[in-house]
């Protein structure tokens, strides 16, 4: 229970940092004083009402994931205390940062913070603009966007927020406090480092673990390696045999194919099923009885298949024209990477520039995120430096190019040692930061009233 609580609470910590600035909208019961101060340090304080706002929000969020953190008294107490610890930790960190003058930002820091706030606010409006643009019969776009933004605020329990501007201010405060937390952490852990021995040991252990993993499941290398290449994290320091790099031009038809085609495909599948059943019956019988019907099925299938192919060709004709133009440029000698940059609709290549230069992974192994069987079939007909002819599968039209062989074995230590050192440093800093926060929260100057929060329970949240 404890581990799950920690994960979910931490996941939304940045968003909830500013909750202490939002007043509690729930009317207090006669026996609960929501103005009571339940934690303080210096001039900073937390009231029971502020605590209850966060408690109610987390109850709702947990319920949306199908969990009940208050199913028994022990779990309820743990849940209450962890919410209190989050609020107190945030309060104490901000107190120390302010006391040490860390929030007097220089020009670079202020510009970075302003950019983060702008990105968040712009992203909020763009997100709901996209949603509204896909809705039908919207008379007032701005009003509809405002409705959706306020629905988001209400979802997070911010029922006192009545305007988009108020919600934006809430988000700005949340981002600012999260940024301040990072500043205090960086200052408190600035002397943390990773030793050469730690880096070497991490690398050697990683090689050993990945050898074992990929021996059991070689297909998982593609998932691990591409995740690292896209998002970072721990480097993949061992490569199993049988992997290659491939570039990919994909052109997909626009829109949705006609209902007539879909219906025909269903009829064709039904005919195949019927034929198989009747043929099986005849194969087991001394006197076949289904010969006439089997011939009818073949004739009907051929007729419907011609019509389905015509509809498919019509639907795909523009995509086919485009892939043929790309193929023509390749035939004229233009580099595959250049043609791919101009034509491909494969989002992985479009989104990650590195793949435009070196290609993505492919192997005969089955990975969680994998290429279609048809793509693999066509790729493995190629030699290094060759590209395929145009081919089609359910995703659209393809041309694939054999870029290189992925070198198997242990990675070059020097290539990854700095990344590993930085990751270890961050991990060590995280561990030290938790110790520092615990020490700060345990100081005599910090007042925490855990007894007071027992007045808040699930029924209060449910009624809110």
């Amino acid at each position: 229970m404890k581990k799950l609580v920690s994960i979910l609470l931490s996941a939304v910590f940045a968003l909830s940092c500013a909750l202490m600035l939002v007043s509690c909208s729930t009317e207090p019961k006669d026996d609960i004083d929501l103005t009571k101060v339940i934690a303080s340090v210096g001039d900073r304080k937390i009231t029971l009402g502020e605590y209850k706002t966060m408690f109610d929000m987390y109850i709702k969020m947990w319920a949306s994931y199908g969990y009940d953190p208050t199913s028994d008294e022990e779990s309820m107490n743990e849940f209450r205390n962890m919410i209190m610890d989050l609020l107190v930790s945030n309060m104490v960190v901000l107190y120390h940062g302010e006391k040490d003058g860390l929030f007097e930002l220089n020009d670079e820091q202020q510009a970075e913070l302003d950019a983060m706030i702008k990105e968040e606010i712009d992203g909020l409006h763009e997100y709901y603009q996209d949603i509204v643009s896909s809705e039908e019969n919207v008379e007032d776009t701005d009003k509809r966007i405002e409705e959706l933004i306020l629905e988001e605020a209400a979802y997070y329990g911010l029922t006192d927020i009545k305007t988009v501007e108020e919600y934006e201010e809430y988000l700005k405060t949340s981002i600012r406090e999260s940024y301040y937390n990072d500043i205090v952490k960086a200052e408190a852990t600035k002397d943390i480092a990773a030793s050469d021995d730690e880096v070497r040991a991490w690398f050697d252990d990683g090689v050993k673990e990945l050898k074992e993993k990929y021996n059991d499941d070689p297909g998982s290398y593609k998932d691990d390696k591409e995740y690292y290449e896209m998002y970072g994290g721990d480097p993949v320091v061992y490569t199993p045999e049988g992997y290659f790099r491939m570039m990919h031009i994909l052109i997909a038809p626009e829109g949705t194919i006609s209902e007539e085609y879909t219906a025909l495909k269903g009829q064709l599948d039904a005919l195949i099923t019927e034929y198989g059943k009747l043929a099986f019956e005849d194969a087991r019988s001394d006197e076949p009885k289904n010969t006439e019907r089997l011939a009818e099925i073949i004739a009907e299938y051929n007729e419907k298949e011609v019509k389905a192919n015509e509809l498919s060709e019509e639907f795909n004709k523009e995509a086919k024209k485009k892939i043929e133009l790309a193929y023509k440029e390749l035939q004229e000698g233009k580099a595959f990477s250049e043609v791919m940059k101009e034509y491909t609709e494969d989002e992985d290549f479009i989104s990650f520039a590195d793949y435009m230069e070196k290609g993505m992974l492919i192997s005969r192994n089955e990975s969680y995120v994998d290429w279609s069987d048809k793509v693999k079939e066509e790729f493995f007909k190629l030699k290094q430096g060759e590209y395929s002819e145009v081919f089609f599968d359910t995703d659209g039209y393809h041309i694939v190019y054999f870029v290189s062989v992925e070198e198997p074995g242990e990675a070059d230590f020097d290539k990854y040692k700095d990344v590993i050192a930085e990751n270890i440093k961050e991990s060590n800093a995280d561990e030290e930061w938790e110790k520092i926060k615990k020490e700060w929260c345990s100081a005599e100057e910090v007042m925490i009233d855990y007894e007071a929060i027992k007045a808040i329970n699930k029924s209060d949240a449910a009624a809110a």
Side-chain angles (χ1 to χ4, degrees):
M1 176 68 181
K2 185 172 183 179
K3 182 177 181 181
L4 186 57
V5 172
S6 299
I7 291 171
L8 286 180
L9 291 182
S10 297
V12 290
F13 174 63
L15 180 63
S16 59
C17 279
L19 274 174
M20 292 186 289
L21 301 181
V22 181
S23 61
C24 180
S25 60
T26 305
E27 289 295 323
K29 290 186 174 183
D30 294 339
D31 57 343
I32 300 178
D33 178 10
L34 296 180
T35 66
K36 178 181 175 64
V37 175
I38 58 173
S40 64
V41 59
D43 294 333
R44 293 184 174 270
K45 63 183 181 180
I46 302 169
T47 67
L48 189 58
E50 291 161 348
Y51 173 88
K52 186 179 186 305
T53 299
M54 194 172 191
F55 180 94
D56 291 348
M57 183 185 75
Y58 279 122
I59 288 288
K60 184 175 181 180
M61 292 187 72
W62 273 78
S64 71
Y65 286 104
Y67 299 110
D68 181 6
T70 63
S71 57
D72 56 72
E73 189 59 29
E74 181 180 356
S75 297
M76 169 68 95
N77 286 333
E78 182 185 61
F79 185 70
R80 288 194 192 104
N81 291 346
M82 291 193 73
I83 292 175
M84 177 69 115
D85 291 343
L86 277 173
L87 286 168
V88 170
S89 176
N90 182 60
M91 175 186 70
V92 169
V93 169
L94 294 175
Y95 165 76
H96 278 273
E98 189 172 51
K99 185 179 70 171
D100 295 340
L102 299 179
F103 303 152
E104 298 171 6
L105 306 184
N106 58 39
D107 291 344
E108 183 179 350
Q109 289 173 318
Q110 188 63 56
E112 182 180 35
L113 176 56
D114 290 344
M116 291 170 65
I117 291 173
K118 185 178 186 303
E119 181 180 8
E120 178 69 22
I121 301 302
D122 289 350
L124 176 74
H125 286 270
E126 289 170 6
Y127 175 75
Y128 287 114
Q129 177 69 55
D130 289 343
I131 290 178
V132 172
S133 66
S134 67
E135 295 180 341
E136 297 180 356
N137 303 320
V138 177
E139 295 182 0
D140 189 331
T141 299
D142 291 339
K143 184 176 180 181
R144 178 58 180 149
I145 292 173
E146 180 180 356
E147 289 174 356
L148 292 173
I149 291 175
L150 292 178
E151 284 177 11
E152 176 179 306
Y155 172 80
Y156 287 114
L158 308 175
T159 53
D160 273 1
I161 288 178
K162 303 301 182 185
T163 68
V164 171
E165 290 73 22
E166 289 175 352
Y167 188 51
E168 288 177 355
E169 286 303 313
Y170 162 76
L171 292 175
K172 290 175 183 178
T173 300
S174 179
I175 295 167
R176 189 177 298 111
E177 291 198 353
S178 179
Y179 189 78
Y180 287 168
N181 269 265
D182 289 342
I183 288 175
V184 181
K185 177 186 176 182
E187 178 64 23
T189 61
K190 63 183 179 182
D191 296 327
I192 300 295
S195 70
D196 292 342
D197 288 344
E198 285 180 297
V199 174
R200 186 75 232 190
W202 190 100
F203 180 86
D204 291 342
D205 289 345
V207 170
K208 180 180 179 181
E209 290 172 8
L210 291 177
K211 275 184 179 180
E212 294 174 357
K213 178 180 181 180
Y214 299 146
N215 183 57
D216 294 336
D217 180 16
S220 61
Y221 170 75
K222 179 179 186 296
D223 300 318
D224 291 348
K225 184 70 172 182
E226 289 182 348
Y227 184 91
Y228 171 72
E229 290 174 340
M230 290 179 180
Y231 309 113
D234 290 337
V236 179
V237 294
Y238 180 79
T239 301
E241 293 184 353
Y243 275 89
F244 311 89
R245 292 278 174 176
M246 180 192 84
M247 289 184 180
H248 182 215
I249 298 172
L250 166 68
I251 307 295
E254 295 183 2
T256 304
I257 200 163
S258 68
E259 293 182 3
E260 183 182 3
Y261 174 83
T262 303
L264 278 170
K265 286 294 289 181
Q267 293 165 19
L268 290 171
D269 290 342
L271 288 171
I272 291 172
T273 300
E274 183 184 358
Y275 189 95
K277 180 180 179 182
L278 295 178
F280 183 75
E281 288 178 357
D282 279 2
R284 296 189 57 181
S285 173
D286 293 335
E287 298 181 11
K289 300 177 181 179
N290 300 312
T291 303
E292 183 177 348
R293 177 55 187 156
L294 289 172
E296 292 174 352
I297 290 173
I298 292 296
E300 184 179 353
Y301 187 95
N302 290 339
E303 180 182 349
K304 292 181 182 295
E305 184 182 40
V306 169
K307 181 60 176 176
N309 288 340
E310 289 174 353
L311 292 171
S312 177
E313 287 177 9
E314 177 64 24
F315 176 66
N316 290 295
K317 67 179 182 180
E318 294 303 322
K320 187 177 182 181
K321 286 180 183 178
K322 191 174 180 181
I323 199 79
E324 286 174 346
L325 287 174
Y327 190 77
K328 183 174 182 290
E329 291 192 23
L330 292 172
Q331 291 281 279
E332 291 171 351
K334 194 170 182 178
F336 193 95
S337 60
E338 293 303 312
V339 178
M340 182 174 68
K341 287 176 183 178
E342 181 179 354
Y343 285 96
T344 193
E345 297 170 2
D346 187 324
E347 287 297 327
D348 286 333
F349 283 88
I350 293 170
S351 301
F352 296 92
D354 282 353
Y355 292 145
M356 290 286 190
E357 305 301 327
K358 67 180 182 182
M360 293 187 73
L361 291 167
I362 187 169
S363 78
R364 298 183 190 276
N365 302 308
E366 182 177 347
S367 301
Y368 182 72
V369 179
D370 209 352
W371 301 101
S372 71
D373 291 342
K374 183 63 176 177
V375 168
K376 288 189 175 186
E377 176 188 338
E378 296 299 325
F379 175 83
F380 284 108
K381 294 177 182 178
L382 304 173
K383 296 178 182 178
Q384 188 169 340
E386 294 180 342
Y387 56 84
S388 70
E389 295 184 352
V390 174
F391 63 93
F392 182 81
D393 69 5
T394 55
D395 293 325
Y397 290 97
H398 306 259
I399 308 171
V400 296
Y401 175 67
F402 190 149
V403 179
S404 63
V405 177
E406 191 83 344
E407 188 69 28
E410 183 177 310
D412 180 2
F413 173 73
D414 289 336
K415 179 179 178 180
Y416 291 111
K417 66 179 182 180
D418 290 342
V419 174
I420 295 169
E422 186 61 30
N423 288 352
I424 293 173
K425 178 182 175 181
E426 289 182 10
S427 178
N428 290 345
D430 288 342
E431 185 176 340
E432 180 64 20
W433 180 230
E434 291 305 314
K435 292 178 182 177
I436 291 170
K437 288 192 294 183
K438 186 175 181 180
E439 180 181 333
W440 284 352
C441 291
S442 302
E444 290 185 6
E445 60 187 336
V446 180
M447 186 279 287
I448 307 175
D449 186 355
Y450 283 104
E451 284 297 315
I453 63 176
K454 292 181 179 179
I456 305 300
N457 57 57
K458 183 180 180 180
S459 60
D460 292 333

